[in-house]
Amino acid sequence: MNQYDQQAADFLAKYGITFSFKLANTKTPDWKNDSRPVNHFIATLKRGKTRVSFDFFDSINNYEKGVKELRAYDVLTCCSSEIHCPDTYEEFCSEFGYDAYNVNTGKRDKNNSKIFLECKKLSTKLQKFFDSEEIRDDLSEIQ
């Protein structure tokens, strides 16, 4: 086991969290503007009776290599970065380099607005699952 996988295993053990995944391949990510396919997984973190499940899209490289497994480390690094979604659509677009408004209509870009809402939804789920100590002390260290 490499150091990254060990870091994830240690985090899960420390907080009594189990990790599982299912290869679904039923969706493509909204943010993807590349025609090459990626694997779509349903990732689940569970502790006692509390659980959180969400879509996880793997890399093009892993798809091309035929990788059908999802590493806990990859999911936890995603959780570490996704747990803090900007509060407003404009802040989100600014931080992640999206165009907030359609140049032709002057209205919110529909696709980017959808991405923001999905990120906000995932952030809320993760904040309910992880407590502030876990987020501050350990989850943020998984990178």
Side-chain angles (χ1 to χ4, degrees), residues 53 60 78 92 100 107 122 134:
S53 295
I60 292 169
C78 172
F92 173 83
K107 295 181 180 180
L122 177 56
E134 293 165 344

Side-chain angles (χ1 to χ4, degrees), residues 20-34:
S20 62
F21 67 89
K22 176 183 166 192
L23 179 62
N25 282 342
T26 58
K27 295 181 181 180
T28 57
D30 294 326
W31 47 263
K32 193 170 176 301
N33 58 4
D34 187 320

Side-chain angles (χ1 to χ4, degrees), residues 6-113:
Q6 186 63 55
Q7 186 181 28
D10 291 347
F11 176 87
L12 295 172
K14 180 177 180 178
Y15 293 107
I17 299 170
T18 59
F19 163 72
S20 62
F21 67 89
K22 176 183 166 192
L23 179 62
N25 282 342
T26 58
K27 295 181 181 180
T28 57
D30 294 326
W31 47 263
K32 193 170 176 301
N33 58 4
D34 187 320
S35 62
R36 295 177 293 174
V38 297
N39 281 322
H40 164 230
F41 294 94
I42 306 295
T44 301
L45 299 171
K46 184 178 179 185
R47 174 180 20 219
K49 293 182 181 184
T50 305
R51 68 182 232 166
V52 62
S53 295
F54 50 90
D55 295 317
F56 186 95
F57 297 95
D58 204 4
S59 69
I60 292 169
N61 185 46
N62 278 352
Y63 181 86
E64 290 174 348
K65 287 180 177 179
V67 174
K68 304 265 191 229
E69 299 288 318
L70 185 57
R71 295 169 52 214
Y73 174 80
D74 295 334
V75 170
L76 292 173
T77 57
C78 172
C79 291
S80 177
S81 63
E82 296 293 324
I83 204 160
H84 300 292
C85 182
D87 290 329
T88 69
Y89 172 70
E90 288 75 10
E91 289 172 335
F92 173 83
C93 289
S94 176
E95 185 169 326
F96 294 104
Y98 290 107
D99 292 324
Y101 298 95
N102 183 303
V103 293
N104 297 324
T105 65
K107 295 181 180 180
R108 276 189 176 189
D109 181 283
K110 288 181 183 180
N111 191 53
N112 295 344
S113 186

